[in-house]
Amino acid sequence: MIQHFLVALLITIIAFSGDISFAQSRELKGTWISAEQDLIEILDTGQTSNNYLANKLLNEDRFELYILGDTLSFQQTYTTSATNFKVEYTDRCDLKIVSVNDSALVVKPVSEFSKKYFQDRPIIRLRRKELIVDKTLVFERLFYQAIWSGPTIELEVDSTRHAYMNYTNTDEDYKVTLATGSYSAVLNDETFNELICQLQNCSLRSLRFIDVKGADSPVKTLIVYSNGKRKYLKSIAPPRIAEDLLRFINWQLVGYDKWTPAVHKMEIKR
């Protein structure tokens, strides 16, 4: 009897470990998005982890992540004034893994919170972000503007690799940045090709920005002309799906090391 019990226990442990191993595999880490702009971004697990979920309504939230067998349990713990901030509450966005491989993740909302968060859709189908590449996108021109208490930026890049920027620097000590003025440049192949890659990898055709008001972040405007069409996006809180593109613009383009000062302020077309 003892031997039978130990064998059964061993089989149970192995089976349970298999679920954990499956769920914790490197296949899961990364950014996954759906055709409707749902997002699951898995960065780490545990009590101090920060991971991101977003739904097609463009609600975006940070969660701790716990892996419970074949279920991804995204959790938010909080207190409220109703209980004098003495009682902790936990929202659980539990998603059962239906299938996962290198390129696709299919999950089923199984907790009440997750069902509501994903609008009672029975299945969410997502693909790994870096594998969603729109090779049919033909770039024509890009306009980017960021307005806030920090530097004000107006930037244009066209299909001939020519770039123009009006830059207003609000920092008196701008030794490591640009002085206020207008600049022009011709992007090298590496920088221009990376811009195209970022545009092809941000789900541009279906990309949406949420219209929120506020003064604690820059108002970012992105206009992309491609395939004879104009895509207009504006928000103080662009979605994480567009984060790689916007980071590239802010750091690689604005920080391009071959800007040449222009005599007159550029009239940048929108």
Side-chain angles (χ1 to χ4, degrees), residues 60-202:
E60 196 168 279
D61 299 276
R62 288 192 293 182
F63 293 85
E64 298 170 357
L65 173 60
Y66 301 89
I67 298 176
L68 308 176
D70 61 355
T71 299
L72 301 174
S73 183
F74 292 90
Q75 301 185 14
Q76 276 184 343
T77 302
Y78 59 93
T79 59
T80 73
S81 58
T83 54
N84 296 318
F85 305 101
K86 294 180 178 179
V87 179
E88 286 192 343
Y89 302 89
T90 300
D91 288 333
R92 286 183 53 158
C93 190
D94 288 355
L95 303 172
K96 179 181 174 62
I97 299 171
V98 177
S99 65
V100 61
N101 57 39
D102 289 341
S103 60
L105 172 64
V106 181
V107 296
K108 177 181 180 180
V110 290
S111 64
E112 289 305 312
F113 183 90
S114 64
K115 291 175 183 177
K116 182 178 180 181
Y117 193 84
F118 289 103
Q119 302 80 49
D120 290 316
R121 286 176 284 160
I123 293 291
I124 311 298
R125 302 180 186 275
L126 308 102
R127 294 183 61 203
R128 190 176 288 279
K129 180 181 181 294
E130 57 262 36
L131 298 181
I132 304 175
V133 180
D134 184 1
K135 291 291 188 180
T136 67
L137 187 143
V138 179
F139 173 72
E140 298 165 12
R141 186 161 61 89
L142 173 147
F143 169 83
Y144 173 77
Q145 183 184 63
I147 301 176
W148 63 323
S149 58
T152 296
I153 300 160
E154 283 188 326
L155 173 70
E156 179 185 357
V157 180
D158 64 27
S159 59
T160 66
R161 297 190 291 121
H162 285 81
Y164 308 93
M165 182 169 65
N166 294 321
Y167 189 88
T168 303
N169 197 326
T170 56
D171 185 358
E172 294 181 0
D173 183 15
Y174 50 77
K175 295 177 182 177
V176 295
T177 57
L178 292 172
T180 295
S182 294
Y183 297 86
S184 65
V186 177
L187 300 180
N188 58 34
D189 289 343
E190 181 182 1
T191 303
F192 183 74
N193 291 339
E194 179 61 24
L195 171 62
I196 302 303
C197 288
Q198 291 292 343
L199 289 169
Q200 291 179 338
N201 187 231
C202 69

Side-chain angles (χ1 to χ4, degrees), residues 36-48:
E36 296 178 293
Q37 206 165 317
D38 303 293
L39 173 141
I40 296 177
E41 187 169 18
I42 298 174
L43 302 174
D44 206 349
T45 59
Q47 191 171 9
T48 60

